[in-house]
Amino acid sequence: MGKMASWLCILLLLCLTGCTTYESESKPVPVPTTDESLPSIEEWMQSVEYMTPLKKSIVVGFSQLGTESAWRMANTTSIQDAAKESGITLILKNAEQSQTKQFEAVRSFIRQKVDVIAIAPVVESGWDDILQEAKRAGIPVIIVDRSVDVQDSSLFVTTIGSDFYEEGVKAGKYIRDRLRNVPGTIRIAELQGTSGSTPSIQRGEGFRSILAERDNILFSQSAPADFTEDKGRQVMDRFLQVPEEERAQVLFAHNDEMAFGAIQAIQKAGLKPGEDIIIVSVDGSRKALRILADGQINAVVECNPLLGPQLMQAAKEIIAGRTLPKRMVPREDIFTQESASREMLHRRF
Ligand code: AHR
């Protein structure tokens, strides 16, 4: 076999075994035309690598559930910033509180052949089929912030987000200790988040798990207010339309925004938030800590939205073929009126 023929054989072999490594839009490989121009195999491989890099940047498709709170905005910004810092291409879609829109986003990520799909799920249930679609497409899924309730846990790689049950426990312990010596029935009102969402379910359960120990506690009013200030104000307005002797002495708001709305309703009713009604909220935005320091909220349980760096790290690890823990939880605290002014200086949202 002549020198030219051997080269053609080698080129054909390389194409058969290696072509799929490169992106389809890569430039064509230069085919030598004369004996004199023939490069060595090493030179040829280098020129191919130079034109069509083996390692392309990671593409993450992220379905964010909405824009309902300062927490959510900080979460989105953290994910965008971390993607930029890690050189990861982020395709972000806002689902505006609609699970159907989240399904559409996941399908569009599958069509775009992203490397990793990340989802902040608006509610827990109903994810089995869409995650099966991602699995069939061979795209790993990371669940961020809230959880999914699926039969087959192999449908996602890991969940990165807070322990909402523990947040409810912290709120419950604060109320239990604060009202330890108060005699008689203590009525508690609760502004829940989005129905069917993990934080709403688990914060409520954690909170009750502590207060169930006390026989003078009555959950007198409880309703969803969708984690928004507007709904918080409307629902609290309704809660306050009861005779004085039935009014709650405590409000547990599942997030800061609903507490802000409730404070407006309480003031409108001629009452003093933080005094006539003890208020505990969750998240810990700078605004909440300022109101806490001012005395209109009594305690704020921290929920950390800055999950971007962990998400990007997880995406890289998955692409590198490493195994991740099934659950990753950030460390969180509880803020009181004593610690609020100091903590406010460090808040990043
Ligand atoms: O899932 C996290 C919760 O969602 C935050 O507590 C709340 O503010 C947000 O809307």
Side-chain angles (χ1 to χ4, degrees), residues 33-54:
T33 46
T34 66
D35 263 2
E36 292 73 46
S37 67
L38 282 179
S40 71
I41 285 279
E42 287 75 16
E43 277 169 351
W44 182 80
M45 284 303 284
Q46 265 171 17
S47 73
V48 170
E49 277 193 40
Y50 175 70
M51 288 188 305
T52 56
L54 282 168

Side-chain angles (χ1 to χ4, degrees), residues 63-124:
S63 169
Q64 176 59 287
L65 65 91
T67 54
E68 72 284 359
S69 60
W71 189 102
R72 185 67 49 205
M73 306 309 276
N75 179 247
T76 302
T77 306
S78 165
I79 289 170
Q80 286 173 315
D81 290 351
K84 232 177 262 162
E85 269 162 38
S86 357
I88 287 178
T89 304
L90 182 72
I91 307 173
L92 174 72
K93 283 190 186 288
N94 172 11
E96 296 163 340
Q97 311 297 324
S98 153
Q99 190 182 35
T100 310
K101 283 195 180 169
Q102 295 207 283
F103 293 166
E104 284 162 12
V106 171
R107 289 200 179 103
S108 90
F109 297 150
I110 294 173
R111 281 196 300 277
Q112 291 174 79
K113 296 186 169 46
V114 301
D115 299 300
V116 175
I117 292 176
I119 307 169
V122 62
V123 291
E124 281 192 356

Side-chain angles (χ1 to χ4, degrees), residues 68-69 71-72 145-146 164 199 203 227 254-255 283 303:
E68 72 284 359
S69 60
W71 189 102
R72 185 67 49 205
D145 166 29
R146 304 178 181 179
F164 299 122
R203 283 174 188 160
F227 288 121
H254 284 200
N255 85 342
D283 279 356
C303 180

Side-chain angles (χ1 to χ4, degrees), residues 130-167:
I130 193 77
L131 294 187
Q132 284 289 357
E133 288 180 37
K135 188 175 182 177
R136 277 197 297 276
I139 304 179
V141 173
I142 301 174
I143 304 296
V144 188
D145 166 29
R146 304 178 181 179
S147 309
V148 290
D149 182 10
V150 287
Q151 292 279 319
D152 173 2
S153 65
S154 76
L155 291 176
F156 62 91
V157 180
T158 184
T159 301
I160 304 171
S162 302
D163 184 339
F164 299 122
Y165 186 88
E166 189 50 37
E167 290 172 354

Side-chain angles (χ1 to χ4, degrees), residues 174-324:
Y174 173 83
I175 294 299
R176 180 197 61 192
D177 296 346
R178 169 140 191 161
L179 303 179
R180 193 179 296 281
N181 299 319
V182 176
T185 304
I186 296 166
R187 287 176 301 281
I188 298 189
E190 183 185 30
L191 289 173
Q192 302 166 326
T194 307
S195 297
S197 71
T198 320
S200 186
I201 296 168
Q202 294 187 357
R203 283 174 188 160
E205 287 175 359
F207 188 66
R208 280 174 173 72
S209 75
I210 297 299
L211 296 168
E213 297 164 5
R214 295 271 303 261
D215 51 15
N216 63 336
I217 298 281
L218 177 68
F219 282 89
S220 54
Q221 292 164 309
S222 184
D226 302 343
F227 288 121
T228 68
E229 185 168 331
D230 253 17
K231 268 294 197 64
R233 188 180 47 247
Q234 288 168 30
V235 177
M236 192 65 200
D237 238 350
R238 213 175 61 227
F239 283 177
L240 291 167
Q241 311 296 317
V242 290
E244 197 182 328
E245 60 279 12
E246 288 174 31
R247 198 169 61 215
Q249 298 106 307
V250 173
L251 170 68
F252 176 38
H254 284 200
N255 85 342
D256 291 340
E257 270 70 20
M258 294 188 295
F260 302 155
I263 288 171
Q264 294 161 31
I266 294 168
Q267 286 170 331
K268 199 180 106 201
L271 299 166
K272 283 200 174 131
E275 287 181 32
D276 296 323
I277 300 181
I278 305 289
I279 302 177
V280 180
S281 79
V282 187
D283 279 356
S285 64
R286 207 176 299 126
K287 179 174 172 183
L289 292 200
R290 185 169 43 72
I291 296 175
L292 176 65
D294 287 351
Q296 292 166 327
I297 296 181
N298 303 81
V300 176
V301 177
E302 183 183 23
C303 180
N304 186 353
L306 309 177
L307 305 174
Q310 291 98 315
L311 171 59
M312 296 310 147
Q313 185 59 31
K316 284 185 193 168
E317 304 267 330
I318 291 169
I319 297 303
R322 297 194 195 104
T323 311
L324 291 174

